[in-house]
mmCIF file of all heavy atoms in Angstrom:
data_model
loop_
_atom_site.group_PDB
_atom_site.id
_atom_site.type_symbol
_atom_site.label_atom_id
_atom_site.label_comp_id
_atom_site.label_asym_id
_atom_site.label_seq_id
_atom_site.Cartn_x
_atom_site.Cartn_y
_atom_site.Cartn_z
ATOM 1 N N GLY A 1 -6.267 -4.033 -11.435
ATOM 2 C CA GLY A 1 -4.886 -4.625 -11.413
ATOM 3 C C GLY A 1 -3.837 -3.668 -10.883
ATOM 4 O O GLY A 1 -2.852 -4.166 -10.180
ATOM 5 N N TYR A 2 -3.970 -2.353 -11.179
ATOM 6 C CA TYR A 2 -3.000 -1.429 -10.469
ATOM 7 C C TYR A 2 -3.089 -1.392 -9.035
ATOM 8 O O TYR A 2 -2.092 -1.430 -8.376
ATOM 9 C CB TYR A 2 -3.221 -0.047 -10.984
ATOM 10 C CG TYR A 2 -2.973 0.191 -12.504
ATOM 11 C CD1 TYR A 2 -3.814 0.328 -13.515
ATOM 12 C CD2 TYR A 2 -1.517 0.335 -12.868
ATOM 13 C CE1 TYR A 2 -3.496 0.544 -14.827
ATOM 14 C CE2 TYR A 2 -1.196 0.595 -14.108
ATOM 15 C CZ TYR A 2 -2.135 0.683 -15.138
ATOM 16 O OH TYR A 2 -1.700 0.900 -16.502
ATOM 17 N N ARG A 3 -4.255 -1.413 -8.488
ATOM 18 C CA ARG A 3 -4.468 -1.516 -7.111
ATOM 19 C C ARG A 3 -3.906 -2.814 -6.474
ATOM 20 O O ARG A 3 -3.122 -2.789 -5.489
ATOM 21 C CB ARG A 3 -5.946 -1.426 -6.707
ATOM 22 C CG ARG A 3 -6.235 -1.628 -5.238
ATOM 23 C CD ARG A 3 -7.690 -1.938 -4.988
ATOM 24 N NE ARG A 3 -7.965 -3.231 -5.520
ATOM 25 C CZ ARG A 3 -9.129 -3.710 -5.797
ATOM 26 N NH1 ARG A 3 -10.204 -3.057 -5.536
ATOM 27 N NH2 ARG A 3 -9.378 -4.941 -6.353
ATOM 28 N N ASP A 4 -4.200 -3.953 -7.090
ATOM 29 C CA ASP A 4 -3.667 -5.206 -6.585
ATOM 30 C C ASP A 4 -2.116 -5.341 -6.726
ATOM 31 O O ASP A 4 -1.517 -5.970 -5.769
ATOM 32 C CB ASP A 4 -4.321 -6.405 -7.371
ATOM 33 C CG ASP A 4 -5.801 -6.431 -7.211
ATOM 34 O OD1 ASP A 4 -6.258 -5.803 -6.178
ATOM 35 O OD2 ASP A 4 -6.480 -7.035 -8.074
ATOM 36 N N GLU A 5 -1.563 -4.695 -7.748
ATOM 37 C CA GLU A 5 -0.069 -4.712 -7.913
ATOM 38 C C GLU A 5 0.469 -3.842 -6.669
ATOM 39 O O GLU A 5 1.576 -4.233 -6.101
ATOM 40 C CB GLU A 5 0.172 -4.034 -9.185
ATOM 41 C CG GLU A 5 1.569 -4.256 -9.789
ATOM 42 C CD GLU A 5 1.728 -3.672 -11.151
ATOM 43 O OE1 GLU A 5 1.545 -2.368 -11.208
ATOM 44 O OE2 GLU A 5 1.880 -4.333 -12.008
ATOM 45 N N ALA A 6 -0.157 -2.816 -6.355
ATOM 46 C CA ALA A 6 0.350 -1.965 -5.184
ATOM 47 C C ALA A 6 0.094 -2.785 -3.896
ATOM 48 O O ALA A 6 0.948 -2.665 -2.972
ATOM 49 C CB ALA A 6 -0.393 -0.694 -5.146
ATOM 50 N N GLY A 7 -1.012 -3.543 -3.753
ATOM 51 C CA GLY A 7 -1.268 -4.248 -2.561
ATOM 52 C C GLY A 7 -0.262 -5.370 -2.381
ATOM 53 O O GLY A 7 0.035 -5.647 -1.060
ATOM 54 N N ALA A 8 0.304 -5.951 -3.367
ATOM 55 C CA ALA A 8 1.299 -6.976 -3.189
ATOM 56 C C ALA A 8 2.636 -6.178 -2.685
ATOM 57 O O ALA A 8 3.386 -6.714 -1.870
ATOM 58 C CB ALA A 8 1.695 -7.649 -4.486
ATOM 59 N N GLY A 9 2.834 -4.978 -3.135
ATOM 60 C CA GLY A 9 3.921 -4.177 -2.545
ATOM 61 C C GLY A 9 3.763 -3.836 -1.111
ATOM 62 O O GLY A 9 4.695 -3.793 -0.243
ATOM 63 N N LEU A 10 2.493 -3.457 -0.732
ATOM 64 C CA LEU A 10 2.208 -3.337 0.616
ATOM 65 C C LEU A 10 2.516 -4.481 1.574
ATOM 66 O O LEU A 10 3.066 -4.435 2.618
ATOM 67 C CB LEU A 10 0.674 -2.910 0.817
ATOM 68 C CG LEU A 10 0.131 -2.735 2.231
ATOM 69 C CD1 LEU A 10 0.862 -1.601 2.870
ATOM 70 C CD2 LEU A 10 -1.295 -2.462 2.230
ATOM 71 N N ALA A 11 2.092 -5.611 1.034
ATOM 72 C CA ALA A 11 2.352 -7.019 1.745
ATOM 73 C C ALA A 11 3.899 -7.184 1.851
ATOM 74 O O ALA A 11 4.379 -7.724 2.887
ATOM 75 C CB ALA A 11 1.810 -8.202 0.965
ATOM 76 N N PHE A 12 4.640 -6.811 0.839
ATOM 77 C CA PHE A 12 6.136 -6.850 0.910
ATOM 78 C C PHE A 12 6.625 -6.084 2.065
ATOM 79 O O PHE A 12 7.483 -6.575 2.798
ATOM 80 C CB PHE A 12 6.634 -6.413 -0.506
ATOM 81 C CG PHE A 12 8.227 -6.535 -0.452
ATOM 82 C CD1 PHE A 12 8.885 -7.572 -0.921
ATOM 83 C CD2 PHE A 12 8.960 -5.352 -0.071
ATOM 84 C CE1 PHE A 12 10.317 -7.554 -1.062
ATOM 85 C CE2 PHE A 12 10.287 -5.384 -0.087
ATOM 86 C CZ PHE A 12 11.021 -6.504 -0.576
ATOM 87 N N LEU A 13 6.270 -4.759 2.195
ATOM 88 C CA LEU A 13 6.645 -3.945 3.200
ATOM 89 C C LEU A 13 6.209 -4.501 4.605
ATOM 90 O O LEU A 13 7.091 -4.408 5.560
ATOM 91 C CB LEU A 13 6.158 -2.603 3.131
ATOM 92 C CG LEU A 13 6.826 -1.713 2.117
ATOM 93 C CD1 LEU A 13 6.169 -0.310 2.032
ATOM 94 C CD2 LEU A 13 8.290 -1.467 2.437
ATOM 95 N N LEU A 14 5.023 -4.943 4.713
ATOM 96 C CA LEU A 14 4.529 -5.410 6.079
ATOM 97 C C LEU A 14 5.292 -6.646 6.464
ATOM 98 O O LEU A 14 5.442 -6.810 7.702
ATOM 99 C CB LEU A 14 3.022 -5.884 5.943
ATOM 100 C CG LEU A 14 2.003 -4.671 5.745
ATOM 101 C CD1 LEU A 14 0.676 -5.220 5.315
ATOM 102 C CD2 LEU A 14 1.926 -3.893 7.045
ATOM 103 N N ALA A 15 5.860 -7.357 5.616
ATOM 104 C CA ALA A 15 6.635 -8.603 6.022
ATOM 105 C C ALA A 15 8.148 -8.358 6.085
ATOM 106 O O ALA A 15 8.891 -9.190 6.455
ATOM 107 C CB ALA A 15 6.421 -9.731 5.007
ATOM 108 N N HIS A 16 8.552 -7.206 5.762
ATOM 109 C CA HIS A 16 10.012 -6.759 5.805
ATOM 110 C C HIS A 16 10.601 -6.796 7.203
ATOM 111 O O HIS A 16 9.902 -6.163 8.052
ATOM 112 C CB HIS A 16 10.254 -5.510 5.037
ATOM 113 C CG HIS A 16 11.676 -5.270 4.611
ATOM 114 N ND1 HIS A 16 12.707 -4.970 5.544
ATOM 115 C CD2 HIS A 16 12.325 -5.332 3.453
ATOM 116 C CE1 HIS A 16 13.770 -4.765 4.853
ATOM 117 N NE2 HIS A 16 13.644 -4.980 3.512
ATOM 118 N N GLU A 17 11.675 -7.375 7.391
ATOM 119 C CA GLU A 17 12.229 -7.430 8.785
ATOM 120 C C GLU A 17 12.636 -6.083 9.329
ATOM 121 O O GLU A 17 12.698 -5.999 10.629
ATOM 122 C CB GLU A 17 13.445 -8.293 8.614
ATOM 123 C CG GLU A 17 14.562 -7.766 7.854
ATOM 124 C CD GLU A 17 15.908 -8.719 7.794
ATOM 125 O OE1 GLU A 17 15.841 -9.776 8.456
ATOM 126 O OE2 GLU A 17 16.934 -8.326 7.154
ATOM 127 N N ALA A 18 12.761 -5.074 8.522
ATOM 128 C CA ALA A 18 13.142 -3.784 9.094
ATOM 129 C C ALA A 18 11.951 -2.843 9.257
ATOM 130 O O ALA A 18 12.178 -1.685 9.682
ATOM 131 C CB ALA A 18 14.196 -3.064 8.206
ATOM 132 N N VAL A 19 10.766 -3.345 9.004
ATOM 133 C CA VAL A 19 9.677 -2.441 8.955
ATOM 134 C C VAL A 19 8.795 -2.709 10.269
ATOM 135 O O VAL A 19 8.551 -3.822 10.659
ATOM 136 C CB VAL A 19 8.704 -2.635 7.678
ATOM 137 C CG1 VAL A 19 7.322 -2.019 7.855
ATOM 138 C CG2 VAL A 19 9.400 -2.258 6.474
ATOM 139 N N ASP A 20 8.355 -1.624 10.865
ATOM 140 C CA ASP A 20 7.287 -1.608 11.800
ATOM 141 C C ASP A 20 5.880 -1.696 11.205
ATOM 142 O O ASP A 20 5.396 -0.766 10.682
ATOM 143 C CB ASP A 20 7.370 -0.310 12.767
ATOM 144 C CG ASP A 20 6.363 -0.405 13.881
ATOM 145 O OD1 ASP A 20 5.330 -1.194 13.967
ATOM 146 O OD2 ASP A 20 6.468 0.463 14.789
ATOM 147 N N PRO A 21 5.223 -2.865 11.302
ATOM 148 C CA PRO A 21 3.980 -3.155 10.578
ATOM 149 C C PRO A 21 2.833 -2.219 11.050
ATOM 150 O O PRO A 21 1.856 -2.100 10.303
ATOM 151 C CB PRO A 21 3.568 -4.528 10.716
ATOM 152 C CG PRO A 21 4.350 -5.034 11.989
ATOM 153 C CD PRO A 21 5.643 -4.097 12.102
ATOM 154 N N LYS A 22 2.964 -1.542 12.132
ATOM 155 C CA LYS A 22 1.992 -0.593 12.562
ATOM 156 C C LYS A 22 2.064 0.784 11.976
ATOM 157 O O LYS A 22 1.295 1.673 12.312
ATOM 158 C CB LYS A 22 1.882 -0.586 14.134
ATOM 159 C CG LYS A 22 1.550 -1.950 14.770
ATOM 160 C CD LYS A 22 1.502 -1.847 16.343
ATOM 161 C CE LYS A 22 1.072 -3.191 16.878
ATOM 162 N NZ LYS A 22 0.977 -3.114 18.388
ATOM 163 N N LYS A 23 3.250 1.038 11.285
ATOM 164 C CA LYS A 23 3.593 2.276 10.874
ATOM 165 C C LYS A 23 3.976 2.275 9.353
ATOM 166 O O LYS A 23 4.970 2.802 8.893
ATOM 167 C CB LYS A 23 4.761 2.875 11.635
ATOM 168 C CG LYS A 23 4.379 3.073 13.123
ATOM 169 C CD LYS A 23 5.532 3.712 13.880
ATOM 170 C CE LYS A 23 5.319 3.893 15.355
ATOM 171 N NZ LYS A 23 6.552 4.471 16.020
ATOM 172 N N VAL A 24 2.984 1.788 8.503
ATOM 173 C CA VAL A 24 3.203 1.643 7.068
ATOM 174 C C VAL A 24 2.252 2.556 6.360
ATOM 175 O O VAL A 24 1.015 2.546 6.573
ATOM 176 C CB VAL A 24 2.950 0.272 6.590
ATOM 177 C CG1 VAL A 24 3.158 0.206 5.106
ATOM 178 C CG2 VAL A 24 4.030 -0.756 7.261
ATOM 179 N N PHE A 25 2.778 3.550 5.645
ATOM 180 C CA PHE A 25 2.051 4.652 4.901
ATOM 181 C C PHE A 25 2.023 4.324 3.429
ATOM 182 O O PHE A 25 2.913 3.658 2.963
ATOM 183 C CB PHE A 25 2.604 5.873 5.218
ATOM 184 C CG PHE A 25 2.554 6.224 6.663
ATOM 185 C CD1 PHE A 25 3.786 5.770 7.429
ATOM 186 C CD2 PHE A 25 1.757 6.942 7.287
ATOM 187 C CE1 PHE A 25 3.883 6.031 8.842
ATOM 188 C CE2 PHE A 25 1.687 7.303 8.612
ATOM 189 C CZ PHE A 25 2.818 6.778 9.412
ATOM 190 N N ILE A 26 1.055 4.912 2.756
ATOM 191 C CA ILE A 26 1.067 4.863 1.260
ATOM 192 C C ILE A 26 1.020 6.335 0.678
ATOM 193 O O ILE A 26 0.255 7.219 1.204
ATOM 194 C CB ILE A 26 -0.301 4.152 0.754
ATOM 195 C CG1 ILE A 26 -0.387 2.775 1.411
ATOM 196 C CG2 ILE A 26 -0.178 3.991 -0.744
ATOM 197 C CD1 ILE A 26 -1.698 2.069 1.076
ATOM 198 N N ALA A 27 1.920 6.616 -0.201
ATOM 199 C CA ALA A 27 1.964 7.925 -0.846
ATOM 200 C C ALA A 27 1.720 7.631 -2.252
ATOM 201 O O ALA A 27 2.519 6.972 -3.069
ATOM 202 C CB ALA A 27 3.405 8.540 -0.568
ATOM 203 N N GLY A 28 0.698 8.322 -2.880
ATOM 204 C CA GLY A 28 0.375 8.170 -4.295
ATOM 205 C C GLY A 28 0.416 9.453 -4.969
ATOM 206 O O GLY A 28 -0.165 10.530 -4.405
ATOM 207 N N HIS A 29 0.978 9.559 -6.195
ATOM 208 C CA HIS A 29 1.049 10.807 -6.925
ATOM 209 C C HIS A 29 0.050 10.743 -8.133
ATOM 210 O O HIS A 29 0.026 9.721 -8.830
ATOM 211 C CB HIS A 29 2.528 11.017 -7.503
ATOM 212 C CG HIS A 29 2.495 12.101 -8.452
ATOM 213 N ND1 HIS A 29 3.015 11.980 -9.811
ATOM 214 C CD2 HIS A 29 2.350 13.480 -8.337
ATOM 215 C CE1 HIS A 29 3.019 13.178 -10.342
ATOM 216 N NE2 HIS A 29 2.573 14.070 -9.504
ATOM 217 N N SER A 30 -0.662 11.654 -8.338
ATOM 218 C CA SER A 30 -1.666 11.855 -9.452
ATOM 219 C C SER A 30 -2.561 10.609 -9.422
ATOM 220 O O SER A 30 -3.162 10.307 -8.424
ATOM 221 C CB SER A 30 -0.825 12.044 -10.603
ATOM 222 O OG SER A 30 -1.665 12.246 -11.779
ATOM 223 N N GLU A 31 -2.641 9.930 -10.593
ATOM 224 C CA GLU A 31 -3.478 8.702 -10.589
ATOM 225 C C GLU A 31 -3.123 7.782 -9.543
ATOM 226 O O GLU A 31 -3.910 6.911 -9.038
ATOM 227 C CB GLU A 31 -3.479 8.073 -11.951
ATOM 228 C CG GLU A 31 -4.318 6.858 -12.153
ATOM 229 C CD GLU A 31 -3.972 6.074 -13.389
ATOM 230 O OE1 GLU A 31 -4.262 6.693 -14.537
ATOM 231 O OE2 GLU A 31 -3.616 4.951 -13.409
ATOM 232 N N GLY A 32 -1.843 7.691 -9.177
ATOM 233 C CA GLY A 32 -1.373 6.789 -8.090
ATOM 234 C C GLY A 32 -2.088 7.134 -6.719
ATOM 235 O O GLY A 32 -2.282 6.109 -5.994
ATOM 236 N N GLY A 33 -2.536 8.271 -6.621
ATOM 237 C CA GLY A 33 -3.299 8.589 -5.342
ATOM 238 C C GLY A 33 -4.673 7.923 -5.417
ATOM 239 O O GLY A 33 -5.113 7.534 -4.356
ATOM 240 N N LEU A 34 -5.283 7.696 -6.583
ATOM 241 C CA LEU A 34 -6.580 6.987 -6.678
ATOM 242 C C LEU A 34 -6.273 5.470 -6.284
ATOM 243 O O LEU A 34 -7.180 4.964 -5.587
ATOM 244 C CB LEU A 34 -7.099 7.141 -8.036
ATOM 245 C CG LEU A 34 -7.248 8.619 -8.608
ATOM 246 C CD1 LEU A 34 -7.921 8.535 -10.017
ATOM 247 C CD2 LEU A 34 -8.259 9.210 -7.607
ATOM 248 N N HIS A 35 -5.183 4.916 -6.733
ATOM 249 C CA HIS A 35 -4.908 3.522 -6.424
ATOM 250 C C HIS A 35 -4.608 3.487 -4.936
ATOM 251 O O HIS A 35 -4.965 2.485 -4.306
ATOM 252 C CB HIS A 35 -3.780 2.996 -7.199
ATOM 253 C CG HIS A 35 -3.990 3.138 -8.679
ATOM 254 N ND1 HIS A 35 -5.162 2.681 -9.321
ATOM 255 C CD2 HIS A 35 -3.187 3.627 -9.658
ATOM 256 C CE1 HIS A 35 -4.997 2.929 -10.697
ATOM 257 N NE2 HIS A 35 -3.814 3.438 -10.881
ATOM 258 N N ALA A 36 -3.919 4.455 -4.411
ATOM 259 C CA ALA A 36 -3.663 4.433 -2.966
ATOM 260 C C ALA A 36 -4.955 4.599 -2.137
ATOM 261 O O ALA A 36 -5.077 3.830 -1.102
ATOM 262 C CB ALA A 36 -2.704 5.716 -2.571
ATOM 263 N N LEU A 37 -5.851 5.323 -2.556
ATOM 264 C CA LEU A 37 -7.196 5.438 -1.808
ATOM 265 C C LEU A 37 -7.920 4.119 -1.798
ATOM 266 O O LEU A 37 -8.319 3.695 -0.809
ATOM 267 C CB LEU A 37 -8.068 6.484 -2.481
ATOM 268 C CG LEU A 37 -7.746 7.997 -2.113
ATOM 269 C CD1 LEU A 37 -8.328 8.974 -3.210
ATOM 270 C CD2 LEU A 37 -8.138 8.277 -0.731
ATOM 271 N N ARG A 38 -7.998 3.484 -2.994
ATOM 272 C CA ARG A 38 -8.671 2.221 -3.065
ATOM 273 C C ARG A 38 -8.034 1.115 -2.284
ATOM 274 O O ARG A 38 -8.634 0.273 -1.697
ATOM 275 C CB ARG A 38 -8.793 1.808 -4.547
ATOM 276 C CG ARG A 38 -9.660 2.814 -5.370
ATOM 277 C CD ARG A 38 -9.855 2.526 -6.874
ATOM 278 N NE ARG A 38 -10.822 1.299 -6.888
ATOM 279 C CZ ARG A 38 -10.526 0.105 -7.532
ATOM 280 N NH1 ARG A 38 -9.382 0.074 -8.244
ATOM 281 N NH2 ARG A 38 -11.473 -0.734 -7.678
ATOM 282 N N LEU A 39 -6.681 1.093 -2.246
ATOM 283 C CA LEU A 39 -5.965 0.093 -1.586
ATOM 284 C C LEU A 39 -6.198 0.361 -0.140
ATOM 285 O O LEU A 39 -6.456 -0.618 0.704
ATOM 286 C CB LEU A 39 -4.458 0.202 -1.940
ATOM 287 C CG LEU A 39 -3.560 -0.652 -1.211
ATOM 288 C CD1 LEU A 39 -3.964 -2.171 -1.229
ATOM 289 C CD2 LEU A 39 -2.120 -0.501 -1.631
ATOM 290 N N ALA A 40 -6.099 1.522 0.324
ATOM 291 C CA ALA A 40 -6.269 1.786 1.771
ATOM 292 C C ALA A 40 -7.680 1.499 2.246
ATOM 293 O O ALA A 40 -7.905 1.024 3.315
ATOM 294 C CB ALA A 40 -6.037 3.316 2.095
ATOM 295 N N GLN A 41 -8.764 1.611 1.347
ATOM 296 C CA GLN A 41 -10.148 1.279 1.758
ATOM 297 C C GLN A 41 -10.204 -0.277 1.841
ATOM 298 O O GLN A 41 -10.995 -0.751 2.733
ATOM 299 C CB GLN A 41 -11.042 1.802 0.595
ATOM 300 C CG GLN A 41 -11.231 3.260 0.690
ATOM 301 C CD GLN A 41 -12.126 3.799 -0.439
ATOM 302 O OE1 GLN A 41 -12.197 3.130 -1.454
ATOM 303 N NE2 GLN A 41 -12.795 4.842 -0.284
ATOM 304 N N SER A 42 -9.445 -0.941 1.111
ATOM 305 C CA SER A 42 -9.544 -2.437 1.182
ATOM 306 C C SER A 42 -8.575 -3.085 2.278
ATOM 307 O O SER A 42 -8.783 -4.181 2.520
ATOM 308 C CB SER A 42 -9.260 -3.043 -0.200
ATOM 309 O OG SER A 42 -7.837 -2.728 -0.691
ATOM 310 N N ARG A 43 -7.745 -2.305 2.689
ATOM 311 C CA ARG A 43 -6.718 -2.814 3.728
ATOM 312 C C ARG A 43 -6.578 -1.898 4.931
ATOM 313 O O ARG A 43 -5.469 -1.522 5.303
ATOM 314 C CB ARG A 43 -5.383 -2.969 2.997
ATOM 315 C CG ARG A 43 -5.292 -3.933 1.716
ATOM 316 C CD ARG A 43 -5.351 -5.340 2.230
ATOM 317 N NE ARG A 43 -4.030 -5.677 2.778
ATOM 318 C CZ ARG A 43 -3.031 -6.115 2.115
ATOM 319 N NH1 ARG A 43 -2.985 -6.102 0.835
ATOM 320 N NH2 ARG A 43 -1.861 -6.358 2.779
ATOM 321 N N THR A 44 -7.717 -1.459 5.527
ATOM 322 C CA THR A 44 -7.685 -0.391 6.495
ATOM 323 C C THR A 44 -6.929 -0.895 7.705
ATOM 324 O O THR A 44 -6.230 -0.003 8.294
ATOM 325 C CB THR A 44 -9.124 -0.101 7.020
ATOM 326 O OG1 THR A 44 -9.816 -1.325 7.328
ATOM 327 C CG2 THR A 44 -10.003 0.513 5.912
#
């Protein structure tokens, strides 16, 4: 659920009019880094 919640945030950024979709990064702190890793693996 934590990963999927972050995944929806990633989709929000990718669709944002001010964002270059080829240059979207994920920064995770502590446990957030684990969710970042799992999200990146599922959305390479």
Side-chain angles (χ1 to χ4, degrees):
Y2 286 106
R3 178 201 59 198
D4 296 342
E5 201 173 64
L10 177 62
F12 177 93
L13 277 179
L14 289 167
H16 197 285
E17 62 181 3
V19 170
D20 181 346
K22 295 182 180 180
K23 297 178 181 178
V24 178
F25 303 85
I26 307 175
H29 172 242
S30 186
E31 181 188 299
L34 302 180
H35 303 310
L37 282 164
R38 299 182 73 229
L39 177 57
Q41 288 175 336
S42 66
R43 302 280 293 273
T44 54

